């Protein structure tokens, strides 16, 4: 469902790193989205809602994975250009 909606982007980011391709993903936008998911996590802890806790942990992990992969890809492309 929506929790795993970012899975295709994780795979694409990984493939882009391997191929050395540029990406159209905005790390800033992903960071803002990750922060909003984190706030949902805080809310879920405050109200002790296990379902929201689990879903936000999975979503946050996916977003952080994409941010890390995209950062690695941008760094590698920058090193190749230099």
């Amino acid at each position: 469902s929506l929790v795993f909606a970012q899975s295709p982007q994780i795979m694409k980011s990984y493939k882009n790193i391997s191929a050395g391709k540029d990406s159209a993903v905005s790390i800033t936008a992903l960071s803002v989205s990750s922060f909003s998911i984190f706030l949902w996590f805080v809310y879920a802890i405050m109200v002790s809602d296990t379902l929201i806790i689990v879903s936000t942990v999975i979503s946050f992990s996916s977003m952080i994975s994409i941010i890390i992969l995209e950062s690695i890809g941008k760094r590698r492309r920058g090193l190749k250009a230099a």
Side-chain angles (χ1 to χ4, degrees):
S1 67
L2 291 177
V3 174
F4 299 104
Q6 295 296 329
S7 298
Q9 184 59 50
I10 293 171
M11 297 304 297
K12 183 162 178 67
S13 294
Y14 180 76
K15 288 178 183 177
N16 283 345
I17 288 173
S18 300
K21 292 183 180 178
D22 286 338
S23 177
V25 175
S26 168
I27 293 176
T28 304
L30 288 173
S31 299
V32 170
S33 182
S34 295
F35 183 68
S36 71
I37 292 170
F38 175 75
L39 292 178
W40 271 105
F41 175 72
V42 171
Y43 168 75
I45 290 175
M46 289 172 52
V47 297
S48 301
D49 190 330
T50 307
L51 182 60
I52 296 176
I53 291 171
V54 171
S55 65
T56 54
V57 165
I58 294 169
S59 295
F60 188 73
S61 300
S62 297
M63 296 297 276
I64 294 301
S65 298
I66 296 169
I67 290 170
I68 290 170
L69 288 170
E70 291 297 327
S71 296
I72 290 169
K74 287 184 187 226
R75 174 184 254 185
R76 285 189 182 171
R77 287 187 300 274
L79 291 175
K80 285 181 182 178

